[in-house]
């Protein structure tokens, strides 16, 4: 190829390179060498999420989708980021009146408020009263008038009815007369009249329709006032009658029923020095469902809202309350007459309260026949396991003012708690009763055998002290009447200590035992005084019988009369015909006994000390061993006669002291035998009288005449001298 050809080829190549270099950014050369546009929008990465891509000749631009905004506020961009627009906050009122605005990603959603409906894009008020009337629904109850309002409605109650300040709650009837106290014992209890007056005023205010515009009642403040007033009633001490207890329980229960629907919170807890309460309230158009678990320090209630609300007409709320009284058990530790059928091995049970008194209140008006049983767990006052002679039972306080177990059963018990299952709720309380099974067969057998032996020995003592002429004197008179008192006391004890019915008879038996046992101690005191006078005064140691009778029988009689006037109902208990261990009446027996024992110990010490001096002066050659032996025997005998063994009697009627009861029963039952041994068999004069009496019976008549005729004068004179000596000694 010539030079001309090479030039043309070079010129063609340069022309092609010139065309390629002429295409700008965003353009590309096609097959024929023309520059054409590149569509950048085909690649979504150029604009990112939530955007729209627009292609231009040789370029492109981006815009955010509707509902989104570029973060820098640019409308068209090639390098940016879109974020959601919150129309609900950026454009206030975008949805209109009575509408809830809900923001969505890239959009928003409008919903009408409760009480409004969407009408062609606008929310308009729903007339609930008209709709309920068309559907034959009763929004406000039989005595309530439905009033429509913007977005809602309210119930106007007739006089005597209320919705407890909750405007959309059906009207319920009020029984303000239940707080009048007419025809019942409640006003007799100090402070209860103030609670009744306070609750009646609150009830009348609720039942007056004109008070509707005065604002909602403050149930929490009223509840606090009621429990403060209850503390003022219970703080001074025990309530003295079952009527007072029933009046208080009924009033507090009715007060909680009235105040509960007025409380602001669904659950309210309040604790004072005398009470501990928890109240749960559920409100709504339909009855609530689900479990209820209420707990205080001493009790737990387990039930459900269906049971609490009942199956009758629903008033728009349901209530359940658990109330514990911290010290009321002291006032209701009685009235066990209706607790029957709890005998064990032929022995009647005795009862005492073993837990706090607990009241359960529900809005269900039919609490006497619940659809489901309720469980109430009660904590024991003392941690004691059930034993063979100790059982726990569940009881409730009846409207008659006594304890009953009908419809309440023990589900489970341990040392600390008892779970009670009840088919009904009484108006007042659910609690536990503890009854010990006392007096085992062995103890009864020992008591009867010992007392029979004691009575036989006391009869011998009485006959001996009455008819044995050689020992007549002040000490014999004291021993005679001591034995008479002990004989009557043991006889009454054996025959009537367990005869608790009828009540009047039981009280008479208790008074007799009180008198004659005090008489035993009083004559023991006189014996101690006489021993002291014999050793110290020596001469003129006798005491006139009239003075002995005045002190020996008059002192116990005065004590019993005063005790019977002050505490007549404390003579006799549910288990024994003896003095009640509560209210301090037992100290009308133990007080004088302790005083007599202290005096006798004093006289005994002085007597032994004086005797020691006399033994020393009269028997200077007596060895120390004989002295100690004599003093020991005298001390044991004197202590026994003065009745120190009766200290064990303080534990005779206590529970859980079986060993002590055996000791006392054995010692006391054999006291007659001990008196017979010490004062009769150990007395030389009495033994001689017994021997003479037996010889008169056993010796043949002829031999006795022969012995009498052959007796010489000197022998007769000697016997007369000894008899006179004995008689003279016995008069001391």
């Amino acid at each position: 190829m010539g030079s001309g050809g090479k030039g043309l080829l070079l010129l063609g190549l340069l022309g092609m390179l010139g065309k390629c270099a002429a295409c700008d950014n965003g353009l590309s050369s096609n097959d024929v060498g023309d520059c054409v546009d590149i569509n950048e929008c085909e690649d979504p990465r150029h604009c990112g999420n939530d955007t729209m891509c627009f292609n231009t000749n040789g370029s492109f631009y981006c815009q955010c989708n509707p509902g989104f905004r570029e973060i820098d506020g640019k409308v068209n961009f090639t390098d940016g980021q879109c974020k959601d627009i919150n129309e609900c906050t950026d454009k206030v009122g975008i949805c209109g009146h009575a509408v809830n605005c809900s923001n969505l990603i890239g959009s928003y959603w409008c919903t009408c408020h409760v009480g409004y409906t969407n009408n062609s894009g606008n929310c308009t008020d729903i007339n609930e009263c008209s709709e309920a009337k068309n559907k034959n629904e009763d929004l406000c109850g039989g005595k309530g008038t439905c009033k429509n309002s913007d977005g809602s409605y309210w119930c106007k109650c007739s006089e005597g009815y209320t919705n407890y300040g909750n405007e959309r709650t059906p009207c319920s009837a009020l029984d303000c007369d239940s707080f009048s106290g007419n025809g019942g014992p409640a006003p007799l209890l100090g402070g209860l009249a103030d609670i009744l007056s306070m609750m009646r005023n609150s009830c009348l205010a609720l039942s007056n329709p004109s008070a509707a515009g005065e604002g909602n009642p403050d149930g929490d403040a009223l509840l606090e006032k009621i429990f403060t007033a209850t503390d003022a009633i219970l703080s001074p001490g025990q309530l003295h009658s079952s009527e007072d207890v029933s009046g208080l329980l009924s009033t507090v229960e009715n007060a909680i029923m009235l105040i509960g629907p007025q409380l602001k919170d669904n659950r309210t807890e309040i604790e004072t020095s005398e009470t501990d309460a928890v109240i749960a309230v559920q409100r709504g158009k339909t009855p609530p469902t689900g479990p209820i678990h209420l707990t205080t320090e001493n009790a737990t209630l387990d039930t459900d809202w269906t049971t609490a609300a009942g199956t009758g007409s629903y008033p728009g709320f349901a209530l359940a309350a658990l109330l514990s009284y911290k010290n009321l058990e002291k006032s209701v530790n009685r009235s066990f007459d209706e607790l029957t059928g709890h005998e064990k091995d032929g022995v009647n049970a005795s009862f005492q309260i073993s837990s706090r008194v607990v009241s359960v209140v529900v809005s269900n008006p039919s609490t006497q026949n619940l659809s489901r049983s309720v469980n109430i767990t009660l904590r024991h006052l003392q941690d004691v396991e059930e034993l063979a002679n100790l059982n726990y039972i569940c009881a409730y306080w009846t409207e008659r003012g006594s304890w009953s177990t009908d419809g309440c059963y023990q589900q489970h018990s341990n040392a600390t708690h008892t779970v009670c299952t009840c088919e009904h709720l009484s108006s007042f309380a659910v609690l536990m009763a503890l009854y010990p099974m006392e007096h085992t067969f062995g103890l009864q057998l020992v008591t009867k055998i010992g007392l029979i032996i004691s009575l036989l020995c006391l009869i011998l003592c009485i006959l001996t002290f009455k008819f044995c002429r050689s020992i007549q004197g002040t000490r014999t008179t004291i021993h005679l009447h001591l034995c008479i008192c002990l004989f009557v006391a043991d006889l009454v004890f054996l025959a009537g200590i367990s005869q608790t019915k009828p009540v009047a008879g039981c009280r008479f038996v208790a008074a007799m035992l009180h008198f004659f046992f005090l008489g035993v101690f009083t004559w023991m005191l006189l014996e101690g005084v006489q021993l002291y006078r014999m050793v110290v005064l020596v001469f003129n140691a006798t005491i006139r019988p009239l003075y002995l009778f005045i002190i020996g029988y008059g002192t116990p009689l005065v004590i019993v009369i005063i005790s019977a006037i002050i505490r007549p109902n404390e003579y006799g208990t549910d288990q024994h015909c003896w003095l009640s261990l509560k209210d301090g009446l037992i100290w009308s027996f133990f007080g004088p006994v302790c005083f007599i024992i202290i005096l006798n110990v004093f006289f005994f010490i002085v007597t032994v000390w004086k005797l020691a001096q006399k033994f020393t002066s009269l028997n200077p050659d007596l060895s120390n061993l004989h002295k100690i032996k004599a003093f020991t025997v005298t001390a044991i005998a004197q202590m026994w006669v003065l009745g120190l063994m009766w200290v064990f009697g303080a534990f005779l009627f206590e529970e859980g002291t079986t060993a002590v009861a055996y000791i006392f029963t054995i010692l006391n039952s054999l006291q007659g035998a001990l008196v017979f041994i010490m004062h009769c068999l150990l007395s030389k004069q009495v033994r001689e009288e017994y021997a003479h009496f037996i010889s008169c019976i056993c010796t043949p008549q002829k031999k006795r005449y022969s012995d009498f005729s052959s007796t010489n004068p000197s022998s007769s004179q000697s016997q007369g001298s000894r008899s006179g000596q004995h008689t003279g000694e016995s008069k001391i």
Side-chain angles (χ1 to χ4, degrees), residues 2 35 94 192 217 266 314 360 403 523 545 550 656 667 691 717:
C35 290
I94 189 173
L192 193 58
N266 290 338
Y314 177 61
V360 177
W403 294 110
W523 286 103
I550 292 175
L667 295 178
Q717 184 177 1

Side-chain angles (χ1 to χ4, degrees), residues 65 296 358 375 554 730:
N65 288 336
T296 64
V358 174
N375 290 335
S730 65

